[in-house]
Amino acid sequence: MGYISEDRRKVTTQRLREMKLRGEKISMLTSYDYTMASIVDGAGIDVILVGDSASNVMAGNQTTLPITLDQMIYHAKSVVRGVERALVVVDMPFGTYQISDIEAVTNAIKIMKVSHADALKLEGGAEILPSIRKIIDAGIPVMGHLGLTPQSINKFGTYAVRAKEEAEAQKLISDAHLLEEAGCFSLVLEKIPAALAERVAKEVSIPVIGIGAGGGVDGQVLVVADMLGMNNGFSPRFLRRYADLHQEITSAVGRYIEDVKSCDFPNEKEQY
Ligand code: KIV
């Protein structure tokens, strides 16, 4: 059995800050639906991200770009209904915060009003600072996201490690400070060199959560379907699998089919 938190108090952005101060690592996983969110929350996770990776995991798209505001709100509402303790953070989808700060805050308020989530996550640094400031001014906690930002995949052209070159590393450090100064409560760093991520985590006072960013940060996040082994075609170096659900589910479905075909299911006790 793994770690089940005894402390069932609701996780807040303030409590994440306290965890960083006392050196307690923050655990974060994605969820997109009620059932998974209630299991993940019950197991004691600190933060649940309603990631726009729902576009890949739930809808089968190649990228995160197609998912819409209303689809994200649907996933967020389902997750919030299943969560008692974890802080629920929702990704603002591509196209909902880049056009203007007014459009960004309008969309941010819609997500918060309808889903009842606790916070939002936006990808990018200096370029989207006016939107981030406006959303925080409206009283909505914002988590930043730097490094590999999948909504910009068409600009990057690859999902390879980011910020290996000095100029990009310097921009990332500067962006991290800007996000902290703007009032972000936390920051995700995706797929960057571990030494750079550790440096950022030391320089900023807000909790830094890594994915493919090494162990020198304040917490870790993974896509739940990946860490449960539901998607056996995806195996980047940073992914640790804690189950092989692809195999488990395939085997269970296979046995069910066999039982139906052989008239073993349902038996006398399984009928009225
Ligand atoms: O959408 C997502 O799942 C994410 C994580 C990979 C951080 O943004």
Side-chain angles (χ1 to χ4, degrees):
M1 196 68 178
Y3 172 91
I4 304 273
S5 175
E6 304 271 287
D7 184 353
R8 296 303 297 167
R9 283 178 306 149
K10 175 79 183 166
V11 178
T12 59
T13 58
Q14 181 57 34
R15 285 186 62 198
L16 296 182
R17 175 81 71 123
E18 290 162 8
M19 286 166 82
K20 172 164 179 142
L21 283 174
R22 64 170 179 268
E24 179 183 343
K25 298 281 186 186
I26 296 163
S27 61
M28 171 163 152
L29 281 174
T30 66
S31 294
Y32 318 103
D33 67 274
Y34 169 85
T35 304
M36 184 64 82
S38 57
I39 296 171
V40 170
D41 184 56
I45 205 82
D46 298 312
V47 184
I48 292 184
L49 172 66
V50 186
D52 59 357
S53 49
S55 177
N56 313 90
V57 177
M58 304 304 285
N61 291 309
Q62 288 292 319
T63 73
T64 57
L65 275 69
I67 200 158
T68 65
L69 188 68
D70 286 342
Q71 286 165 342
M72 285 303 296
I73 289 174
Y74 169 82
H75 288 298
K77 279 168 73 177
S78 311
V79 166
V80 167
R81 282 188 213 110
V83 172
E84 286 173 10
R85 176 182 178 273
L87 184 88
V88 178
V89 182
V90 182
D91 262 335
M92 288 196 73
F94 176 65
T96 62
Y97 57 94
Q98 294 91 345
I99 296 169
S100 74
D101 56 346
I102 300 297
E103 202 166 305
V105 73
T106 306
N107 289 328
I109 287 171
K110 182 170 176 192
I111 299 175
M112 297 299 285
K113 246 187 200 304
V114 182
S115 75
H116 301 176
D118 302 308
L120 301 176
K121 176 163 80 61
L122 280 73
E123 294 183 6
E127 316 73 30
I128 58 154
L129 220 51
S131 294
I132 289 180
R133 287 207 184 96
K134 197 87 181 158
I135 294 169
I136 294 173
D137 284 349
I140 301 170
V142 171
M143 176 180 268
H145 184 158
L146 299 172
L148 177 64
T149 45
Q151 292 178 14
S152 300
I153 185 60
N154 293 317
K155 183 172 84 181
F156 297 146
T158 163
Y159 286 102
V161 177
R162 303 305 312 176
K164 280 162 86 175
E165 306 302 329
E166 186 59 19
E168 194 177 332
Q170 285 305 327
K171 163 133 172 60
L172 187 142
I173 292 166
S174 152
D175 280 346
H177 285 286
L178 287 173
L179 294 178
E180 178 182 25
E181 282 155 28
C184 285
F185 73 91
S186 173
L187 175 60
V188 165
L189 293 180
E190 180 164 353
K191 227 171 170 188
I192 63 167
L196 175 62
E198 185 169 356
R199 176 174 167 188
V200 172
K202 284 203 174 112
E203 285 189 13
V204 299
S205 62
I206 55 175
V208 174
I209 316 286
I211 172 163
V217 289
D218 307 305
Q220 299 293 327
V221 56
L222 286 175
V223 169
V224 73
D226 296 339
M227 60 82 76
L228 292 177
M230 296 175 87
N231 166 8
N232 60 4
F234 181 65
S235 29
R237 191 207 292 209
F238 68 76
L239 176 61
R240 187 180 293 182
R241 287 213 174 88
Y242 289 85
D244 186 354
L245 287 197
H246 190 278
Q247 175 52 35
E248 285 282 324
I249 294 170
T250 306
S251 153
V253 172
R255 284 184 280 118
Y256 168 73
I257 296 169
E258 241 174 70
D259 289 353
V260 170
K261 301 271 183 198
S262 65
C263 303
D264 180 76
F265 176 79
N267 64 24
E268 278 184 11
K269 286 189 194 143
E270 291 161 331
Q271 64 192 9
Y272 300 99

